[in-house]
Amino acid sequence: MDRYAVIGHPIKHSKSPLIHTAFARQTRQDLRYEALLAPLDGFSATVESFRTTGGRGVNVTAPFKLAACVTATRLTARAEAAGAVNTLTFNGDIIVGDNTDGVGLVRDLTVNLFCPLAGRRVLLLGAGGAARGVVLPLLQGKPTSLTVINRTVSRAHELRTSFARHAGQISFTAGGYDDLDGWDFDIVINATSASLENEAPPLPDGFFAPNAFAYDMMYGAGDTPFLATARAQGVTRLADGLGMLVEQAAESFALWRGVRPNSAPVLSWLRRKLTSSP
Ligand code: ATR
């Protein structure tokens, strides 16, 4: 039986084994998917031991997405641009590093949530690893503009500089929260880790355009602090990142197995589990 795993620290909370096992059942693929806890200084040793004992590939979660870039012997263009890897595929001695997070976000937005990027003004909050992972696929969706805002303004500018060559005709700008005054946006995506501290990013009032969409890459049983802020500002089209989680998994599964699972039933099953658990 082919073996796959997700590696992180911590790892007990990971939903990837549930998702991939559901995909395997649905597509009748004979595989086993497990969760592996790697010591903080032992990511590459954990990958090597899994690979040399017959593992076919792994997903990578916090805090190892940067380390996985180094472990990979080859990077896809989107992983190289992101500077982060969430999927490793083992082909003999070659370890291919890819990043399916951004495609997962764009698929969730455009296919599941009927929120196209083309022609829209998109605001991305945050300039850390999570934001870097989604910039290229967002630009490839051809929005009218992409604005990156970060608490530490210099990081937003650095992110802009490193992706500027991919922007083409798209107005691609960066700044801090104070620069948002007087602007409004059609799609606002929260890629900060503020929710982990139970905080929302420090957003001014009035920057959601009429009929705007608010998307939080984090997820939870109820509204995240960012989604609660958006709702309080009158936004009615909102989503958290559970769909992105399922879609990035579907993309990894398709890379590994050559078959694309139907993500919709798995997403609604996970949503039910999330909202019914105490
Ligand atoms: P990740 O890999 O999850 O992106 P990260 O690289 O540590 O983690 O980045 C966290 C992001 O969330 C950063 O953009 C951070 O802003 P700074 O660069 O200024 O640190 C942002 N962030 C974290 N807590 C925040 C808060 N309370 N308000 C606004 N932004 C926050």
Side-chain angles (χ1 to χ4, degrees):
M1 192 185 279
D2 288 343
R3 290 168 59 221
Y4 298 87
V6 58
I7 303 182
H9 185 119
I11 199 61
K12 255 170 70 185
H13 67 286
S14 174
K15 300 201 183 313
S16 293
L18 281 177
I19 297 171
H20 281 274
T21 303
F23 286 164
R25 200 174 305 127
Q26 185 198 75
T27 57
R28 298 176 195 280
Q29 297 280 305
D30 196 17
L31 61 84
R32 200 170 94 212
Y33 189 106
E34 59 207 272
L36 293 178
L37 177 73
L40 286 174
D41 60 353
F43 173 73
S44 66
T46 305
V47 171
E48 247 345 73
S49 131
F50 187 67
R51 190 178 76 86
T52 52
T53 54
R56 301 289 306 273
V58 294
N59 285 129
V60 181
T61 188
F64 298 125
K65 289 186 184 182
L66 299 185
C69 275
V70 181
T71 304
T73 57
R74 211 176 268 176
L75 291 178
T76 62
R78 60 192 181 187
E80 193 167 355
V85 158
N86 78 335
T87 307
L88 293 172
T89 306
F90 309 140
N91 289 331
D93 284 343
I94 298 169
I95 304 177
V96 181
D98 201 349
N99 190 318
T100 64
D101 286 330
V103 173
L105 166 69
V106 170
R107 232 185 130 78
D108 192 34
L109 268 172
T110 59
V111 178
N112 299 340
L113 299 163
F114 308 105
C115 179
L117 292 163
R120 307 294 178 89
R121 297 161 300 169
V122 179
L123 173 63
L124 181 64
L125 304 172
R132 289 193 75 88
V134 300
V135 170
L136 188 60
L138 285 176
L139 288 170
Q140 287 166 341
K142 303 229 177 314
T144 304
S145 63
L146 178 62
T147 307
V148 180
I149 292 294
N150 197 44
R151 183 174 60 180
T152 309
V153 182
S154 58
R155 281 184 95 188
H157 287 292
E158 280 161 28
L159 185 151
R160 198 202 81 83
T161 304
S162 58
F163 286 92
R165 68 183 189 285
H166 300 286
Q169 302 298 308
I170 299 160
S171 162
F172 185 30
T173 52
Y177 287 93
D178 292 343
D179 300 321
L180 286 173
D181 269 343
W183 293 85
D184 64 350
F185 298 90
D186 305 305
I187 301 173
V188 181
I189 299 165
N190 181 25
T192 75
S193 55
S195 301
L196 297 178
E197 300 141 36
N198 207 23
E199 283 177 9
L203 298 165
D205 282 346
F207 70 97
F208 286 105
N211 209 27
F213 204 107
Y215 192 100
D216 198 334
M217 285 168 50
M218 299 255 169
Y219 62 85
D223 276 350
T224 63
F226 165 72
L227 293 179
T229 303
R231 210 183 280 281
Q233 293 201 22
V235 177
T236 56
R237 300 171 71 212
L238 313 102
D240 71 9
L242 194 66
M244 173 178 173
L245 178 76
V246 173
E247 293 300 344
Q248 62 78 31
E251 181 78 8
S252 297
F253 191 93
L255 283 172
W256 288 331
R257 309 302 299 180
V259 46
R260 180 167 282 281
N262 179 7
S263 52
V266 177
L267 176 54
S268 39
W269 170 67
L270 268 189
R271 178 68 69 194
R272 281 198 306 277
K273 267 176 88 68
L274 189 66
T275 47
S276 63
S277 56

